[in-house]
Amino acid sequence: MITQVTRGIKISVATSFEGTFFKNYKTHFAFGYTITIENQSKSSVQLTSRHWQIYDALNEMEILDGEGVIGKKPVIKPGQSHTYSSGCLLSSPIGSMKGYYNMVNFSTNEKFRVYVPSFKFSAPFALN
């Protein structure tokens, strides 16, 4: 599991290979990831949006921005956490993602970024 702490917000990431399938005459490699956002600060925070950089060994980097995570903008109180799972399709059996969450501190109304460390995707058969 990969972890990183930014301003009292701990991000933990676990990845999994979900399988291979064909679509539109092309092979796709499906990967899953589970992220836990743990509030170790003294203030309640809300995740408002996300920014991802997706690296595929066979394609150019893709950037995705969006509201919340999986349709939610969770409020996380001190000592609590929010966990969600999502996925990514790559054209290669190897890749990675990294990014950040835009957050709001409810005590100060300050907006800030929480960084998600780079996490790797690799199909088991692609490793030596």
Side-chain angles (χ1 to χ4, degrees):
M1 183 173 291
I2 306 291
T3 63
Q4 181 171 328
V5 179
T6 307
R7 295 184 59 172
I9 309 299
K10 180 180 178 182
I11 305 295
S12 301
V13 185
T15 62
S16 60
F17 175 64
E18 301 296 326
T20 306
F21 68 95
F22 294 95
K23 180 179 178 185
N24 297 332
Y25 304 101
K26 189 175 177 185
T27 301
H28 295 273
F29 299 88
F31 296 92
Y33 58 90
T34 299
I35 297 183
T36 298
I37 306 162
E38 182 182 346
N39 187 351
Q40 298 176 335
S41 76
K42 294 182 179 177
S43 302
S44 292
V45 298
Q46 182 175 27
L47 188 157
T48 58
S49 63
R50 70 188 182 287
H51 172 87
W52 289 123
Q53 295 175 4
I54 303 170
Y55 300 89
D56 185 330
L58 296 177
N59 280 324
E60 293 188 22
M61 178 187 64
E62 181 180 358
I63 293 178
L64 291 176
D65 291 296
E67 295 289 315
V69 289
I70 60 166
K72 298 180 181 175
K73 294 182 179 180
V75 173
I76 309 166
K77 296 178 181 177
Q80 293 187 344
S81 64
H82 176 78
T83 300
Y84 73 95
S85 295
S86 191
C88 181
L89 290 178
L90 301 179
S91 60
S92 163
I94 297 172
S96 67
M97 282 177 65
K98 69 178 183 177
Y100 58 82
Y101 299 124
N102 289 309
M103 305 279 237
V104 175
N105 179 317
F106 280 170
S107 297
T108 63
N109 272 346
E110 178 186 7
K111 295 178 181 179
F112 64 102
R113 286 184 178 167
V114 171
Y115 292 92
V116 179
S118 179
F119 52 97
K120 298 184 182 346
F121 297 122
S122 57
F125 59 82
L127 300 176
N128 287 331

